[in-house]
Amino acid sequence: AEVRPRPRSKSTAMGNKVSSAEDIRGRVDAAKEGGDSLMALAAQLWHERNTLRAYVASRDCLLIERACRGLGTDDEALIDVVCGRTKDQIAATAAEYHRAWGKTLDDEIKDECGGDYGRFLRLVALQPPQADALLLDKAMDGVGCDKAAVTMIFATRTNDELRAMREAWEAKHDGASLLDRLHEELGGAHRTLVLKLLTEGRKEEEDDVDEDAAKETAKELYKAGVGKLMGTDEEVFFNAFTGLSRAQLNQVAEIYERKRGMSLQKAIKKEFPSASTDLLQSMLETPIQILSRKLSEAFKGIGTDEALLTAVLAARGRAQAREVMTAFNERYGKELVDEVKREVGGNFRRAVTRWLEGEDYTRGAWTATGTPPEELEGDEGALEALVEALQTELANTREYILATDVKTLHKALHGVGTDEEAVVTVLGARNKTQLQDVCKMYHDEHDESLPERLASRLGGDFGRFCRMLVLDEPNAAAVSLHKALEGIGADCSVVMEILAARERESLLAAREAYEGRFEENLLDRLVSELSGTNEMVARALLTEGRGYADGELEDVDAVVEELHAAGQAQIGTDEAVFARIFTMYSVDSLRRINEAYEGAHGRSLQRVVSSEFGGNAKRTLLALLSSSEDLLTAQLSKAMKGSFTNERALTRILAGRDKAKAMQLAARYEEKYGSPLVDRVRRKLGGDLRRIVVGWITTLDPTLGAEELKRAASEGQGEDEEGVDLEDAAAEEEVEVEVAEEEEEAQDQVDEEEQERLRLIAEAEEAERQRKEEEKRLRRAIRAANNAANRQQRRGRGRMDKVKGGKLPLGTVVVGDFDDDAYAAVNRTDGGAEAFANEGAADGMLAVVRREGAGVFAGLVDTTRLLELLGAEPTPQEEPPHNVQLQANAALAAAAAEGGLPALPLQPAAILWAEGRFQAGAYWTVNPDARVYAHRPRPGRFQPEGYLRLHPEAEGEDPVVHFSENFQEEGHLIMINNRVGTLDRRFYRRRHNDRRARRRPGRHFRRREGRPLMRLEGGALTPWQHFVQRGREEGRRVRVVSPRLGVVEGVFDDEHTAVMHGLAGPEEAWGFVVDNGPGTPFAVTDAEPIWVWGADGDGDEDAAESQLVEPEPEPEDEDYDDDEGDDDDDEDDDGGDDDDDDDDED
């Protein structure tokens, strides 16, 4: 196979730098020169190849599942995956699809796609033996056999391919014999030759020919055929054609034509039937020649033989399909692709052209990397070739994944709605380097900015997290700094977190990104926004960088004494000394200084800072004493404490850093707090934001390769920066402060009035700043709470719209106990009351409650009513959780933790199933067509159409004749006046009082063509009697009365009726209700409320009883006079009756 590196786009291929032949050769040479084992390099690349192949297969499975999900099929995506792969690649995808979804890929395509298009996709997705077996099945399906299809298969397959096809067919048909099936379907010489090819095969291909042997064979063929006086010796032909190679056969044909003046093909046509002729003549051609000829036949005449086109191109694989296409183009002077586009249309055309013109994602490298390195050990040349092919496949695969990511994002962010799931799949599984490549290719191909597109289509915290992910670390830090500095007053804690948690190079890059992005000097902006210690720290970090003097730390004791003199040893504090020392040394050096300080002065630097500083200055210096990981994990913990979650902090810390660093933070968080960060995220976040955060901190991208994965896993392990834990520092803040006494002694040295004035000014400024910060924090908290509540309401209303049950009138509140099983079924999720309270309510899941005596209802929790039932007052908006909806969520979680949910009020609500007693008075109203049963049967005429509905076995017969033959049969149903019942024979004989009607009523009825008046047996039925006898079987709707709900209309439900009465199973429900009479409550589904009362209280027993009153009986019509004349029976009894001679026999 030709192995070609994929042409490079302007973007880097998923972080992979190896693409050109020079790069590949350079890595091989470097391995040799460095003494590295070429075998080890090949083994590493082999492992990466397998990882990437498995990744692409699993991703293809996801794309196929998404394409086939729901109503309709995304044919474009399905074609792109199935027809854009080789047979081997599709086999890997099919195996993964069956493992992941429990359904074969062939079955999925069969269910989703029909016609020639579906058959083409199925053949492409199947391996060649299975595809051939499917073609054979189609050829032998139905009446007769498609001999031409069988001939094409057996003429173009090798012996090994025929054996594999036989095994696949017999495995598919549970061990049935293909030999036996072909023997049944075929006949004559054609059958003999096909079976001979299947069992014995034919001579393998070889180039050498024996001219003398060819002459002898030509002579034998002549004698066995044209030269034979009568008949044909078929065995001679079959032995020659199966026992000689194709080259030898063509030599025989040439000699035969030269000697006999007739081509061998013409001689075969004279001696054999058409099917055998076609197979024998085809055996003189190569498979490619045969298939190209078949393509021409498919396009001949009016219309196109799509089945033949599919069989030729899809069964064997793309490589053979392209060989056939080339042969067709050269043989007929036409372009096959143009012919396909002209002759066929729709998805079938798109699939065929994609199959012919498409290219697999490795660009031919797949087959070149098929030999494992261990099999090539000792063969340096072969190992070098394998390494080069592996590098090329890896580069091309990563480039394909990059292009697929861009395509997926573009599709997800355009059109009606946004596919958030696709956005999460791409952004959550890549690192920032790869996402930068995605952004660049996205811009190159679509001429628009991916971050701007994300901003226009995704909102809220999810949108902010996505936009931060696609920024590199310097730009992410720049955006976070700008956000912290904008508005009135800077968010000092965020600014110092960003500065303190980065090394010098990272800070310089962030500064450069800030100044290029916002066109202002970062240092000047910080100086203008900060003051005191914070300003000094920021200036030092931005200009010198943290730890710039580590190499100069020789005399630790001198530094300790300098700090002591600047703090504890004097009245007041020299902030500049602390700011300078804390920034000029790294965390490791500061730890050494801290240990020395404790030994010299009996106090830790944390206690010193806590007693000497306050506010933001104290937090900044404590942050400098901590390692970056401890600082950030403490911020993560703080962001998710209590009922409020600071999503912006999570975005800044996690999305602002590369995936490897975010995963290191997650590992440090678990080590520090004893629980995984991902579990905390799942509990505190919901929806798309939760999914993308979880993906970002847990998913290792296999496209990185082994070297990058190892580096990502080990990065930072050599840095033993334990630092100082912020929470430990906070715990030590409660120290004995002796500042008051020190300040009292200092009053003698300064002007008391000036000192007091300065203090008041500082206090006022600090109070004003804190007030603004508190207002800003409160506004953010309220906005976040309202957004969360609105999301919950939107999702809940969306799920409510999909509930099939009847909706209760607005304002109706249903109170009931939580139903775990029904909740799981309605929301299609696992878990019960606890899961709903902790996560489901916040995610907009519907609550499902059961109300005794009323039924089961699904709906949204009425938060105001819930708080009333719990005896809780709604909190003001200024107090957490800032929203009544979130307060109700928290109340549910607390109740679940204490032992169970209380009765839940739902509003709005829908009826899943209701229970009540049969309302007889409304039965005829609901079923007006059944009102004929409310009075005695009236005389009427036979209804042929109704009779045929009652007796489908009479279809195609004259219903009058059929009934006349079954006239005397007991229980034989007929329809008169739209009423079903059995014939009143006594009425018939009395009504038609003549000899023939009495002795042979069936013949009498038939001779009068079904026109005599008749009447059904029985009397008037009550509503309950009709429902028992016919209504329930016909699926009629009824109304039931529930004293705790009202009047509901629906269909009898066996399953829930059995649950109501504790029966063994649904099959016992109907018998139980019938045995106990109409007063027995039963369940109805597909329910619609008619009247509703007292749904949230004890109901209305009197109103319920009033609805159960039996209807007044229908007035009886005057009975027909049995002796009244019949206009249709005025024929003379003795006139024209040619059946009288048979009366004695009766």
Side-chain angles (χ1 to χ4, degrees), residues 1033-1051:
E1033 182 180 352
E1034 294 173 354
R1036 292 186 178 273
R1037 298 179 68 82
V1038 297
R1039 290 182 184 174
V1040 297
V1041 180
S1042 167
R1044 302 202 68 195
L1045 177 61
V1047 179
V1048 179
E1049 181 180 309
V1051 180

Side-chain angles (χ1 to χ4, degrees), residues 551-785:
E552 303 172 6
L553 182 59
E554 297 178 355
D555 191 351
V556 176
D557 294 337
V559 177
V560 168
E561 292 307 317
E562 185 178 5
L563 285 171
H564 182 68
Q568 284 183 278
Q570 67 173 14
I571 299 174
T573 306
D574 189 345
E575 299 176 358
V577 173
F578 280 84
R580 174 173 54 81
I581 293 176
F582 277 32
T583 54
M584 68 188 296
Y585 296 117
S586 66
V587 174
D588 285 337
S589 299
L590 287 177
R591 185 162 59 251
R592 290 173 54 199
I593 295 170
N594 181 56
E595 292 173 356
Y597 196 99
E598 288 180 346
H601 301 288
R603 267 190 167 191
S604 68
L605 286 177
Q606 293 90 338
R607 292 192 65 185
V608 172
V609 169
S610 297
S611 62
E612 297 289 332
F613 295 87
N616 285 325
K618 180 178 72 173
R619 285 191 289 270
T620 298
L621 293 177
L622 288 175
L624 291 172
L625 287 172
S626 302
S627 69
S628 60
E629 287 188 355
D630 283 334
L631 170 62
L632 295 176
T633 51
Q635 292 293 84
L636 287 174
S637 177
K638 179 181 176 183
M640 293 185 286
K641 274 188 177 179
S643 60
F644 171 73
T645 303
N646 188 347
E647 289 88 353
R648 289 181 182 269
L650 295 179
T651 299
R652 182 179 67 250
I653 295 170
L654 295 177
R657 285 164 174 79
D658 204 358
K659 177 180 282 287
K661 295 180 181 178
M663 297 176 76
Q664 290 171 21
L665 286 178
R668 176 59 180 153
Y669 184 97
E670 182 174 2
E671 177 185 344
K672 185 175 179 180
Y673 297 107
S675 64
L677 176 61
V678 66
D679 291 348
R680 187 68 173 167
V681 167
R682 287 193 177 107
R683 288 196 299 270
K684 300 296 291 184
L685 303 179
D688 297 320
L689 179 60
R690 174 172 61 189
R691 284 191 287 273
I692 197 166
V693 174
V694 169
W696 185 246
I697 62 177
T698 60
T699 306
L700 271 176
D701 184 4
T703 64
L704 288 170
E707 291 180 346
E708 289 83 354
L709 287 175
K710 291 177 182 177
R711 178 176 56 78
S714 62
E715 187 174 329
Q717 289 183 357
E719 302 177 7
D720 185 20
E721 291 189 4
E722 295 181 2
V724 179
D725 190 280
L726 279 182
E727 291 196 350
D728 293 340
E732 295 181 3
E733 285 185 18
E734 298 180 3
V735 295
E736 298 178 4
V737 182
E738 301 174 355
V739 178
E741 296 177 359
E742 296 174 355
E743 289 181 347
E744 188 176 351
E745 295 175 359
Q747 293 301 315
D748 298 336
Q749 303 176 14
V750 296
D751 187 284
E752 293 183 1
E753 293 182 359
E754 181 66 16
Q755 182 75 13
E756 182 66 15
R757 186 180 69 82
L758 293 175
R759 185 181 65 80
L760 292 175
I761 291 175
E763 288 180 354
E765 291 178 347
E766 180 66 16
E768 179 65 16
R769 188 192 62 76
Q770 291 182 359
R771 184 186 66 79
K772 290 181 179 179
E773 285 187 357
E774 182 62 24
E775 288 181 355
K776 187 187 299 184
R777 184 202 64 77
L778 182 59
R779 285 196 300 271
R780 288 198 298 263
I782 293 174
R783 185 165 57 249

Side-chain angles (χ1 to χ4, degrees), residues 849-869:
V849 301
R850 176 166 186 173
R851 180 175 174 81
E852 289 297 332
V856 173
F857 306 85
L860 302 178
V861 176
D862 187 329
T863 54
T864 303
R865 189 65 178 271
L866 175 66
L867 294 177
E868 290 178 2
L869 293 176

Side-chain angles (χ1 to χ4, degrees), residues 250-325:
N250 284 314
Q251 183 69 25
V252 170
E254 182 181 339
I255 294 172
Y256 189 99
E257 184 173 357
R258 190 168 63 244
K259 293 287 187 181
R260 305 302 172 186
M262 175 191 296
S263 69
L264 181 57
Q265 289 89 337
K266 185 175 181 180
I268 293 171
K269 188 173 183 180
K270 290 181 64 176
E271 297 297 321
F272 290 90
S274 59
S276 305
T277 297
D278 190 16
L279 181 51
L280 287 169
Q281 290 178 347
S282 296
M283 293 176 71
L284 293 170
E285 300 177 281
T286 66
I288 300 301
Q289 291 171 334
I290 298 169
L291 294 174
S292 64
R293 173 167 54 81
K294 288 293 183 181
L295 278 181
S296 178
E297 294 175 7
F299 293 123
K300 278 184 179 178
I302 300 174
T304 303
D305 189 344
E306 288 87 354
L308 180 56
L309 182 66
T310 296
V312 171
L313 295 177
R316 301 305 302 173
R318 178 185 278 118
Q320 188 190 70
R322 287 182 171 173
E323 288 184 45
V324 174
M325 177 173 66

Side-chain angles (χ1 to χ4, degrees), residues 126-134 161 164-166 168-169 315-316:
L126 289 171
Q127 291 306 291
Q130 285 73 26
D132 286 344
L134 183 61
E161 290 169 351
M165 177 194 70
R166 179 178 181 178
W169 191 93
R316 301 305 302 173

Side-chain angles (χ1 to χ4, degrees), residues 19-63:
S19 58
S20 67
E22 293 78 7
D23 291 335
I24 295 170
R25 170 56 59 185
R27 184 166 180 182
V28 173
D29 294 340
K32 291 181 179 179
E33 293 172 5
D36 294 337
S37 168
L38 194 61
M39 184 69 183
L41 177 60
Q44 173 192 320
L45 295 177
W46 180 268
H47 173 72
E48 293 181 19
R49 183 210 74 157
N50 292 341
T51 303
L52 277 182
R53 286 186 177 185
Y55 171 77
V56 174
S58 63
R59 180 166 179 157
D60 283 352
C61 289
L62 180 62
L63 292 174

